[in-house]
Amino acid sequence: RVNASIASFDSLYIKETRKRKLVVPTSDYGIEKTEDTVGGYVRESEPGIYDYMIVLDFKSLYPSIIRTFNIDPLGLVADCKGKNLISVPSGTCFKRELGILPELIEELWEHREVARKEKNELSRYAIKILMNSFYGVMASTSCRFFSTKLANSITETGHFLIKLTSKKIEEMGYRVVYNDTDSCFVVSNATDLKEAEKIGKKLQDDINNFYDSYLKKEFGVKSFLELEFDKCFVKCLMPKLRGSEKGAKKRYAGLMIKDGKERIDITGLEAVRGDWTDLAKKYQNELLDRIFHDKDIINFTRKFITDVNSGKYDDLLVYKKSLRKDLADYAVETPHKKAAKKILAHGGKISSNIIRYVMTTDGPEPVGYVDHKIDYAHYIEKQIKPIAESVLVFFGQDFDDILKGDKQKGLGDY
């Protein structure tokens, strides 16, 4: 995929260098990185259950940064010597003469807007992916324009902007509880969805106006940044990092209401991960629905465990894991390797690289070759308990408490 993106980049970029009668360097596949490239800024969340959480998102942040600061491989001035240069927040310098890459992005941007207006989603998405690949291309040693300084000038500017955006939002009297590369999660303090949406749109406009003047004054550039009010979660769960008091990254869920219809968006949690069973997904989806609608979760969890032990959910207990190499090449006896060996021991054949198995009192056994009783204690401990405890902490209880029949605490008690 990286090589395909590099080929696309070269195809576009080199055509423009020919028009300007410039010669590009040849690819040097033997080059090694002498320093690491900086990734996007992701801040730990502040754990909790929030009402009316606003999500503000920069539209195509990295392409916008490239356009705004005229970041271009052939415009890079490594020693920052010269007059009339643009110095990005990381200290890297670029010529002010319009570079090829910013010009390409401007053209692609216009094509994407045409596709959006024509409701051509395939074309719009393809252009978006192409623009967003440019940073990754220049951060790859396989690219003829590879430069750590060039790549970091984009990501470090992203760090600077998202932190500054959060600071300005908090100066306006709102609390930012999470950042994820190009977004800010803001507690709106609103009492209803209409008020929250009004606040979101005002923050969007105020921040965009701020950058219009700030970037012109501080860097002498025109801002192409565009912060959007993306959505509002009527309720939002930010879990703690498992086994820690710290907040998790890229893990949250929120209840949205659009056109009178409810939808729960889930990011990074077990319900959307392929390495968890359908049992875990069913429990977490129902648990989130109850949290977001202020329903009982203690008795629900207690009954769910009873149902697991009674065999009600036996059809949801299957693990699915890929065999990515020959069995002999696995140094560790992983559960799916053990299950695969049992298929062969029963005279069966491994016709797919996906091994489907359940946990029994004799360990993992492949579907179709289960000889022992299901180990329900395993599923309760490994599939239900981690999900439950990530939520129960906000109600002043842990998993063992609810099994003992302790009284449930409400959100108001937290």
Side-chain angles (χ1 to χ4, degrees), residues 200-266:
K201 290 173 183 175
K202 186 176 188 306
L203 287 174
Q204 165 194 288
D205 294 341
D206 288 349
I207 294 297
N208 285 329
N209 289 335
F210 163 74
Y211 278 120
D212 285 343
S213 58
Y214 174 80
L215 293 177
K216 183 177 181 180
K217 178 182 177 182
E218 297 296 326
F219 298 93
V221 297
K222 178 183 178 181
S223 174
F224 290 101
L225 302 175
E226 187 178 348
L227 188 70
E228 292 182 312
F229 166 47
D230 184 34
K231 57 195 169 191
C232 175
F233 291 127
V234 176
K235 275 191 179 293
C236 182
L237 168 70
M238 293 281 184
K240 290 184 179 180
L241 191 63
R242 195 169 297 154
S244 171
E245 291 301 309
K246 295 181 179 180
K249 295 179 179 180
K250 297 183 180 293
R251 285 173 56 85
Y252 56 86
L255 174 68
M256 293 179 61
I257 300 177
K258 188 173 183 180
D259 300 326
K261 296 181 180 179
E262 291 188 354
R263 186 184 79 208
I264 293 179
D265 273 8
I266 301 175

Side-chain angles (χ1 to χ4, degrees), residues 125-193:
Y125 186 71
I127 295 168
K128 175 185 175 181
I129 293 300
L130 179 61
M131 287 198 301
N132 287 339
S133 74
F134 289 163
Y135 156 73
V137 164
M138 293 184 291
S140 170
T141 55
S142 297
C143 177
R144 71 183 71 238
F145 299 108
F146 164 73
S147 165
T148 303
K149 189 179 287 289
L150 185 66
N152 287 350
S153 68
I154 299 170
T155 50
E156 289 180 356
T157 299
H159 285 221
F160 172 81
L161 292 171
I162 204 69
K163 290 176 182 178
L164 179 58
T165 301
S166 296
K167 180 182 176 183
K168 299 307 294 184
I169 290 171
E170 293 193 333
E171 287 176 0
M172 297 174 192
Y174 300 96
R175 181 179 164 203
V176 179
V177 297
Y178 180 58
N179 294 117
D180 188 356
T181 305
D182 56 4
S183 59
C184 296
F185 287 64
V186 185
V187 181
S188 69
N189 304 321
T191 56
D192 58 45
L193 182 57

Side-chain angles (χ1 to χ4, degrees), residues 172-366:
M172 297 174 192
Y174 300 96
R175 181 179 164 203
V176 179
V177 297
Y178 180 58
N179 294 117
D180 188 356
T181 305
D182 56 4
S183 59
C184 296
F185 287 64
V186 185
V187 181
S188 69
N189 304 321
T191 56
D192 58 45
L193 182 57
K194 187 176 181 180
E195 181 186 2
E197 290 175 340
K198 184 178 179 181
I199 292 168
K201 290 173 183 175
K202 186 176 188 306
L203 287 174
Q204 165 194 288
D205 294 341
D206 288 349
I207 294 297
N208 285 329
N209 289 335
F210 163 74
Y211 278 120
D212 285 343
S213 58
Y214 174 80
L215 293 177
K216 183 177 181 180
K217 178 182 177 182
E218 297 296 326
F219 298 93
V221 297
K222 178 183 178 181
S223 174
F224 290 101
L225 302 175
E226 187 178 348
L227 188 70
E228 292 182 312
F229 166 47
D230 184 34
K231 57 195 169 191
C232 175
F233 291 127
V234 176
K235 275 191 179 293
C236 182
L237 168 70
M238 293 281 184
K240 290 184 179 180
L241 191 63
R242 195 169 297 154
S244 171
E245 291 301 309
K246 295 181 179 180
K249 295 179 179 180
K250 297 183 180 293
R251 285 173 56 85
Y252 56 86
L255 174 68
M256 293 179 61
I257 300 177
K258 188 173 183 180
D259 300 326
K261 296 181 180 179
E262 291 188 354
R263 186 184 79 208
I264 293 179
D265 273 8
I266 301 175
T267 296
L269 300 182
E270 292 77 8
V272 293
R273 289 175 50 179
D275 54 346
W276 286 72
T277 64
D278 288 343
L279 178 76
K281 295 174 183 181
K282 177 179 176 63
Y283 174 70
Q284 188 168 64
N285 280 321
E286 292 186 17
L287 184 68
L288 290 171
D289 183 75
R290 286 177 169 272
I291 290 169
F292 294 153
H293 293 94
D294 296 320
K295 295 180 181 178
D296 163 75
I297 64 170
I298 305 302
N299 291 324
F300 158 72
T301 298
R302 191 177 293 122
K303 184 178 184 303
F304 195 92
I305 292 168
T306 299
D307 289 341
V308 170
N309 282 320
S310 71
K312 182 177 179 179
Y313 300 129
D314 281 3
D315 59 329
L316 305 179
L317 304 181
V318 178
Y319 286 96
K320 304 177 188 72
K321 185 76 174 178
S322 296
L323 278 176
R324 301 189 182 278
K325 49 190 175 183
D326 292 337
L327 291 180
D329 294 332
Y330 280 89
V332 179
E333 287 289 305
T334 61
H336 71 304
K337 176 185 176 180
K338 291 180 180 179
K341 288 169 68 176
K342 289 183 179 181
I343 292 176
L344 298 176
H346 279 80
K349 293 183 179 180
I350 301 175
S351 57
S352 168
N353 69 327
I354 304 295
I355 304 299
R356 302 172 72 249
Y357 65 93
V358 296
M359 295 301 294
T360 72
T361 53
D362 192 50
E365 295 189 343

Side-chain angles (χ1 to χ4, degrees), residues 17-212:
T17 62
R18 287 173 178 164
K19 291 178 184 177
R20 300 189 187 195
K21 298 183 178 181
L22 296 171
V23 177
V24 299
T26 57
S27 299
D28 183 359
Y29 297 107
I31 194 170
E32 292 185 7
K33 286 186 179 181
T34 57
E35 57 181 307
D36 292 334
T37 49
V38 177
Y41 176 67
V42 183
R43 168 190 157 190
E44 288 177 5
S45 65
E46 295 181 23
I49 300 173
Y50 300 96
D51 292 329
Y52 301 109
M53 176 81 79
I54 290 170
V55 181
L56 299 168
D57 191 84
F58 277 106
K59 183 178 179 181
S60 298
L61 178 60
Y62 287 176
S64 299
I65 288 172
I66 292 170
R67 285 188 73 190
T68 298
F69 292 94
N70 203 34
I71 295 173
D72 183 70
L74 298 182
L76 174 65
V77 182
D79 58 6
C80 281
K81 291 182 180 179
K83 296 181 180 180
N84 199 27
L85 302 178
I86 298 172
S87 177
V88 303
S90 65
T92 305
C93 297
F94 295 90
K95 297 174 184 177
R96 284 193 179 271
E97 178 186 356
L98 181 61
I100 292 174
L101 189 55
E103 193 170 45
L104 282 173
I105 288 177
E106 180 181 1
E107 184 179 348
L108 288 168
W109 204 292
E110 291 172 356
H111 283 299
R112 187 178 68 170
E113 286 303 301
V114 170
R116 183 185 63 81
K117 290 177 182 177
E118 293 176 350
K119 297 183 178 180
N120 186 339
E121 284 301 300
L122 186 61
S123 179
R124 184 196 64 80
Y125 186 71
I127 295 168
K128 175 185 175 181
I129 293 300
L130 179 61
M131 287 198 301
N132 287 339
S133 74
F134 289 163
Y135 156 73
V137 164
M138 293 184 291
S140 170
T141 55
S142 297
C143 177
R144 71 183 71 238
F145 299 108
F146 164 73
S147 165
T148 303
K149 189 179 287 289
L150 185 66
N152 287 350
S153 68
I154 299 170
T155 50
E156 289 180 356
T157 299
H159 285 221
F160 172 81
L161 292 171
I162 204 69
K163 290 176 182 178
L164 179 58
T165 301
S166 296
K167 180 182 176 183
K168 299 307 294 184
I169 290 171
E170 293 193 333
E171 287 176 0
M172 297 174 192
Y174 300 96
R175 181 179 164 203
V176 179
V177 297
Y178 180 58
N179 294 117
D180 188 356
T181 305
D182 56 4
S183 59
C184 296
F185 287 64
V186 185
V187 181
S188 69
N189 304 321
T191 56
D192 58 45
L193 182 57
K194 187 176 181 180
E195 181 186 2
E197 290 175 340
K198 184 178 179 181
I199 292 168
K201 290 173 183 175
K202 186 176 188 306
L203 287 174
Q204 165 194 288
D205 294 341
D206 288 349
I207 294 297
N208 285 329
N209 289 335
F210 163 74
Y211 278 120
D212 285 343

